[in-house]
Amino acid sequence: MNRPLTLVAVMVVTGAAIGSRMPPGMLSWKWAIAAAALAVMTVLLALPGRRWIGLLLVAVAAAAYYQGYDSRNTTTLALPSAVQQSGQTGNGMAAAEAEAELAGTIASPVAVDGDKVSFVLLAHRAAVGGAEPVRLREKVQVSIRLLHAEEQERASGWGRGDPIVLAGTIRKPGSARNFGGFDYSAYLYRKQIHWQLSVKGLDQTSTGPEADGELRGGGGQSGGEAAEGSDGRTGGGSDAGDGAIAKRQLPLPDWSKVYRWNDDLRSYLGGIMDRAFPDRIDAGYMKSLVLGLTDDMDPDTYQQFSQLGLTHILAISGLHVAVFVGGCMWLLRLFGLTRERILVITLVIVPFYVALTGGSPSAVRAGIMAMIGLYAARRGLWKDALNIISLAAVAMLIWNPYFLYDVSFQLSFLVTVGLIVGVPRFSRLLPVRSQALNSLLAVTVVAQLISFPITVFYFNGVSLLSALANLLLVPFISFAVLPLGTFVLLAGLIYERAAGWIGVVTSYLNDVTFWLVDVGAVHDPLRLVWPNPSLLWVLLYYVLLGAVYAGAAKWKESGKPAFAMAAVAVFMLFLWHGYEPDRFVRDGKVHFIDVGQGDAILVRTPQSRHMLIDGGGTVTFRKPGEEWKERRDPYEVGKKQLVPLLKQRGVHQLDLLVISHQDQDHIGGLQAVVEQIPVRTVVMNGTWKGNAGSRKLFETVMRLGAEIVTLEQGKTVALDRYTELTALTASGPETRVRLAEEQNNESVVLLLNMRNIRFLFTGDMEARQEKLLLEALNRTRGDPPSSPVSVDVLKIAHHGSKTSTTEEWLAFWQPRMSVISVGLKNSYGHPNPGVLERLERSGTTIYRTDRDGEVVFTVNGQGVRVDKKL
């Protein structure tokens, strides 16, 4: 092996991954230093097996280095013990939060989106929960909810390095509330952030000269206590009191001015793009493509790029750096500079380009590789691409081992290594004589094959049109749109009208791009939902892919196809198993997904049929004149939470989608579901609420060809041989759809029998509907009743509202277990204490999504098992 750095990089990555999985504190910095020193000594001494012993020691050093680095990722901020012991929510749950006032400097770009402002604060002082102010150095994620439109302009003037004082509520970041859900706590942890601060309005903040670092003992100041500054901003409060810290300007980090200058320059260049491209979608796309400014990228356009596997074009990576380096060298050559000077000047410029484009892991990787390659070319040293990328990987992991878990880092290095190793080999297998076409096909296919397992691991979806889309669009964008966008920037620095002229031409090319992407994304018959694979599956994928190549190479050399055919057959079986890993699992599952204040219930039958009952929904209350609060990409539970969870669990299609009723907290998330996951049949309640959300949802369902039905009361539908569904309340097929603005008592009520385990789903039915249903059921049972009625699991209606779940209802069904789908700290006071008392008296075991997170019932031949996320 003549690439020692490659072996070292592999062992560094392996060791860091092992260190991240080991219990904290097992290894330390001392272990890292000792193992690294022993590795060097082993290589220098002529010991038998020194190479493999040295590599093993490198892995130990990497594992210890990760653990040592991780051991320093701690917080110096803590809630007072009195707050932790006594803080309770209305639901009787511990509240890990307190009122706090923090003083520090803004440590990240400030994002202003509608009524929300967010940034990272580097706190220097804190007064928490009434305690005395303390000095510290702590990064805190800040979120400010703006109360007035004029506050937007004030917040837009903030930037990195500005001193600021804020008063609000501080808490630990929330962890994932659903199995496999996004863990925001872990995400912030790897950014060395352990706290969130929520602030209401800019009256609770002061910046600029007024933010002098003064904190008062006793927590945050109220808006009424703040002194109004001459420019309309609040002052820093009184300096009286025993707990006061003497006023003084907060010390700014030396690098903060450089970061702020870079942020301002990026914003200025983004403004050139805005003026050159009047269309908002065009401007957002070009800022993302050229500058890495993704905040203004149209969410729908980004989603379409994502569906076709084209988002790598929008992330600054090796392609962009290569175009930049090539452009710089071409321009410098026009000035008649020598080759040596061109290489040196380009090498010096590359770090500035990486910083200007945001410094993402993929951009840093490409920048380091470019700098090493330019330096090697200048010095006439070894120029091995695999060693260069290995050195870049080791350097980045030494700088920040948490890069190991960054999807951008993973994709960037894996695809680059795959291209370096695979393209020359794959090119020799292609029966294409044209060198240009051969190279283009090889790069496209190898990139798709290498990125596939990482793509499905993180995004749970893949389009078989992705290779074609990349083949057509990547060269077009790389060699036409990207250079033109760069010329727009350069022209805008000199003469903005010229930038506008070039922008017009670029816009026509963008129209072609958007049209092709739209056609591919909307009419893609080859888009696959892929369940979340294991790490072992990912590793075996690369092993089998190597076996397929080895078989193909042997076939071409010797003309013997047996090994190649066997390898391909095993590889296809392996992919099929990954696509449907639970095909032969005969356990059924009922998932009560935590979607906040709403319902979303996923049923998987023992024979892999899928039914979704409701989809949650984000309820917003907007008054006329509050349009300024609208965000570019507002949080929507279906798009951000429900759809990713369904894809992760391998829901290739929904055999049955039940819309219990048409209130927003039950149907709001379904719009994203029907747009991204095929639906065969939709069950609805036979009424029409008449709102815009319902109209859009049903129009989408009809456009996509799903059947819409109502179930007659008492009708039983067999979902598979182990599962049947009985409608207890619904409109009959002969009933015409009628208008019903009040939907709770129109809820579809369903009884599910899966392997003799009975679930009752009740929507938002209220006491009146409960009474009518009980009367109907009692009539069918006869007098006296023919047999007792009971269910194993009862979905408590209307999120535990006092208007439902009467004593008579519970006495009739006698539920062994009950589930309340309810939002954490909801403003409605759900679940109602009276309902909880009635449930406790009935003897049922109560599960709640606000307290337990997602609740999953697994049904097998022996009974039912319950799993809670929290």
Side-chain angles (χ1 to χ4, degrees):
M1 181 71 177
N2 58 357
R3 293 186 177 94
L5 272 178
T6 301
L7 286 175
V8 169
V10 170
M11 299 311 292
V12 167
V13 170
T14 303
I18 293 173
S20 69
R21 299 285 181 174
M22 295 172 66
M26 286 192 66
L27 301 174
S28 66
W29 295 104
K30 294 179 180 179
W31 279 83
I33 295 170
L38 286 173
V40 173
M41 291 175 61
T42 301
V43 172
L44 293 177
L45 297 174
L47 297 176
R50 62 184 182 276
R51 171 177 292 181
W52 300 112
I53 295 173
L55 289 173
L56 181 61
L57 288 169
V58 167
V60 173
Y65 183 81
Y66 186 99
Q67 289 229 315
Y69 186 93
D70 191 60
S71 68
R72 298 180 62 185
N73 186 7
T74 57
T75 176
T76 56
L77 183 63
L79 299 181
S81 57
V83 172
Q84 296 187 53
Q85 293 172 5
S86 63
Q88 300 286 319
T89 68
N91 295 323
M93 296 158 55
E97 62 182 35
E99 294 304 305
E101 189 177 12
L102 304 181
T105 56
I106 297 175
S108 73
V110 178
V112 181
D113 186 10
D115 64 346
K116 181 182 179 182
V117 179
S118 57
F119 57 86
V120 176
L121 171 74
L122 180 59
H124 301 306
R125 293 177 180 80
V128 181
E132 294 294 317
V134 295
R135 296 178 184 272
L136 73 165
R137 187 176 178 84
E138 183 88 22
K139 290 204 295 184
V140 178
Q141 182 67 45
V142 175
S143 176
I144 304 175
R145 182 165 63 85
L146 302 179
L147 303 179
H148 308 288
E150 56 271 17
E151 292 180 332
Q152 276 186 333
E153 184 176 355
R154 289 168 54 190
S156 298
W158 297 352
R160 188 156 20 188
D162 285 349
I164 189 168
V165 176
L166 309 101
T169 303
I170 195 166
R171 64 175 63 87
K172 285 282 189 180
S175 57
R177 299 185 60 83
N178 292 288
F179 291 100
F182 176 65
D183 193 333
Y184 189 55
S185 177
Y187 170 79
L188 290 182
Y189 177 84
R190 290 179 181 140
K191 294 181 177 293
Q192 303 191 43
I193 299 173
H194 302 270
W195 296 94
Q196 290 178 273
L197 182 73
S198 300
V199 181
K200 292 183 179 180
L202 296 194
D203 285 346
Q204 302 298 312
T205 70
S206 59
T207 58
E210 291 79 18
D212 50 21
E214 176 188 329
L215 296 180
R216 304 182 309 117
Q221 66 182 25
S222 67
E225 294 171 330
E228 186 73 19
S230 59
D231 62 352
R233 290 177 292 194
T234 59
S238 171
D239 59 1
D242 296 335
I245 295 178
K247 289 186 178 182
R248 72 181 188 90
Q249 186 69 26
L250 289 171
L252 300 183
D254 293 338
W255 285 99
S256 65
K257 293 180 181 179
V258 176
Y259 293 141
R260 176 64 176 271
W261 179 84
N262 187 63
D263 293 341
D264 291 343
L265 178 58
R266 298 185 77 207
S267 179
Y268 173 73
L269 296 176
I272 293 177
M273 288 295 197
D274 286 329
R275 293 186 290 275
F277 298 95
D279 183 80
R280 179 182 60 83
I281 296 178
D282 259 346
Y285 169 64
M286 294 307 298
K287 285 193 286 187
S288 179
L289 180 67
V290 178
L291 292 169
L293 292 168
T294 59
D295 289 346
D296 292 334
M297 180 74 185
D298 178 64
D300 294 332
T301 304
Y302 184 87
Q303 177 64 32
Q304 291 182 329
F305 272 77
S306 178
Q307 287 177 208
L308 292 177
L310 293 169
T311 52
H312 63 93
I313 297 176
L314 305 175
I316 304 299
S317 60
L319 174 66
H320 300 74
V321 174
V323 171
F324 174 78
V325 168
C328 286
M329 295 181 72
W330 177 75
L331 287 173
L332 292 172
R333 205 173 288 122
L334 294 179
F335 289 97
L337 298 179
T338 64
R339 175 179 177 275
E340 289 73 16
R341 287 182 179 271
I342 290 173
L343 291 171
V344 171
I345 293 173
T346 306
L347 186 151
V348 172
I349 294 175
V350 166
F352 293 96
Y353 174 74
V354 172
L356 184 64
T357 55
S360 67
S362 58
V364 172
R365 185 271 308 162
I368 292 175
M369 286 189 66
M371 292 171 66
I372 295 174
L374 289 167
Y375 178 78
R378 173 65 182 83
R379 301 290 295 178
L381 303 175
W382 117 130
K383 295 179 289 184
D384 186 291
L386 205 55
N387 273 322
I388 290 175
I389 193 174
S390 299
L391 183 59
V394 172
M396 290 183 68
L397 290 176
I398 290 175
W399 175 258
N400 183 357
Y402 294 149
F403 276 145
L404 186 66
Y405 288 94
D406 188 290
V407 61
S408 176
F409 176 91
Q410 294 172 10
L411 276 173
S412 178
F413 277 95
L414 278 172
V415 172
T416 305
V417 170
L419 293 175
I420 293 170
V421 175
V423 167
R425 292 166 173 80
F426 188 72
S427 294
R428 292 193 289 268
L429 299 178
L430 290 176
V432 179
R433 293 187 177 182
S434 169
Q435 185 62 41
L437 182 57
N438 184 293
S439 297
L440 183 60
L441 287 172
V443 168
T444 301
V445 173
V446 170
Q448 294 295 307
L449 290 173
I450 295 298
S451 63
F452 171 77
I454 305 300
T455 300
V456 298
F457 183 85
Y458 285 104
F459 307 111
N460 303 111
V462 64
S463 170
L464 299 184
L465 286 180
S466 179
L468 179 61
N470 277 272
L471 189 65
L472 295 175
L473 288 174
V474 169
F476 175 68
I477 294 171
S478 303
F479 300 113
V481 180
L482 180 58
L484 281 174
T486 305
F487 286 139
V488 167
L489 274 184
L490 295 175
L493 292 171
I494 302 169
Y495 185 49
E496 286 203 354
R497 183 170 293 183
W501 296 336
I502 304 173
V504 170
V505 177
T506 311
S507 292
Y508 285 119
L509 299 183
N510 289 343
D511 289 341
V512 174
T513 301
F514 296 154
W515 180 80
L516 289 172
V517 171
D518 180 69
V519 170
V522 173
H523 305 287
D524 182 4
L526 303 175
R527 187 173 60 201
L528 302 178
V529 173
W530 204 281
N532 200 44
S534 66
L535 288 175
L536 178 60
W537 188 91
V538 173
L539 293 175
L540 287 175
Y541 171 91
Y542 289 117
V543 171
L544 291 176
L545 184 62
V548 169
Y549 165 75
K554 184 176 181 180
W555 186 0
K556 185 168 185 178
E557 291 174 3
S558 63
K560 297 178 180 179
F563 181 74
M565 300 297 288
V568 169
V570 172
F571 189 57
M572 297 305 293
L573 285 172
F574 176 78
L575 291 177
W576 176 74
H577 177 265
Y579 183 67
E580 292 189 298
D582 296 330
R583 168 169 283 275
F584 300 111
V585 176
R586 290 295 175 252
D587 291 346
K589 288 183 180 289
V590 178
H591 306 253
F592 288 83
I593 299 172
D594 182 6
V595 289
Q597 186 67 13
D599 277 10
I601 304 164
L602 173 66
V603 178
R604 178 197 179 273
T605 72
Q607 291 186 305
S608 298
R609 305 291 190 271
H610 288 99
M611 174 175 69
L612 180 66
I613 304 175
D614 295 334
T618 306
V619 181
T620 57
F621 301 97
R622 290 282 186 265
K623 300 176 182 178
E626 292 186 338
E627 291 77 13
W628 65 273
K629 293 184 177 182
E630 295 294 333
R631 300 173 187 172
R632 288 185 293 270
D633 188 17
Y635 179 83
E636 201 288 301
V637 70
K639 178 181 178 181
K640 302 288 187 180
Q641 185 177 3
L642 186 56
V643 169
L645 287 174
L646 295 180
K647 289 182 176 181
Q648 184 186 102
R649 293 164 191 191
V651 180
H652 306 301
Q653 75 168 11
L654 287 170
D655 299 278
L656 208 61
L657 173 62
V658 177
I659 302 174
S660 70
H661 63 296
Q662 298 163 41
D663 284 347
Q664 180 66 17
D665 59 334
H666 289 253
I667 70 165
L670 293 180
Q671 183 65 38
V673 171
V674 299
E675 288 176 351
Q676 297 193 47
I677 297 178
V679 178
R680 294 182 61 187
T681 304
V682 175
V683 174
M684 52 97 70
N685 62 5
T687 71
W688 169 245
K689 186 169 183 176
N691 60 344
S694 298
R695 177 181 296 276
K696 183 179 180 181
L697 176 62
F698 284 113
E699 285 177 349
T700 305
V701 167
M702 290 186 287
R703 175 173 58 83
L704 294 176
E707 181 184 13
I708 302 176
V709 302
T710 58
L711 296 180
E712 186 177 0
Q713 186 169 3
K715 180 178 178 59
T716 296
V717 177
L719 299 181
D720 66 11
R721 61 179 294 191
Y722 302 100
T723 313
E724 64 179 19
L725 190 69
T726 302
L728 299 186
T729 60
S731 299
E734 73 286 356
T735 304
R736 298 182 61 183
V737 173
R738 55 188 171 81
L739 182 66
E741 294 185 6
E742 294 297 327
Q743 285 277 312
N744 286 347
N745 279 323
E746 305 292 344
S747 294
V748 175
V749 179
L750 299 172
L751 181 65
L752 178 75
N753 190 326
M754 182 187 294
R755 288 186 178 273
N756 296 319
I757 302 296
R758 291 153 55 93
F759 296 80
L760 183 63
F761 304 111
T762 56
D764 276 359
M765 67 187 305
E766 297 180 347
R768 179 168 63 86
Q769 190 184 9
E770 290 178 354
K771 181 179 179 181
L772 294 174
L773 179 56
L774 290 181
E775 291 174 353
L777 291 173
N778 280 320
R779 285 195 297 270
T780 61
R781 295 172 66 209
D783 190 16
S786 56
S787 62
V789 177
S790 65
V791 293
D792 296 279
V793 181
L794 170 65
K795 204 288 290 192
I796 300 302
H798 203 187
H799 323 292
S801 168
K802 64 181 179 182
T803 60
S804 308
T805 319
T806 61
E807 296 277 7
E808 293 78 13
W809 181 255
L810 293 173
F812 182 89
W813 292 109
Q814 305 173 40
R816 289 199 298 125
M817 295 170 281
S818 55
V819 182
I820 308 175
S821 292
V822 60
L824 181 66
K825 297 182 184 178
N826 64 87
S827 60
Y828 304 97
H830 296 161
N832 179 263
V835 172
L836 293 175
E837 289 178 7
R838 292 197 290 272
L839 289 172
E840 290 171 357
R841 287 198 301 269
S842 72
T844 183
T845 302
I846 305 171
Y847 298 98
R848 294 164 41 176
T849 56
D850 62 336
R851 181 181 62 193
D852 302 317
E854 181 181 8
V855 183
V856 181
F857 296 87
T858 302
V859 180
N860 51 40
Q862 289 72 47
V864 60
R865 185 185 76 245
V866 186
D867 295 294
K868 305 182 299 180
K869 181 61 179 76
L870 303 180

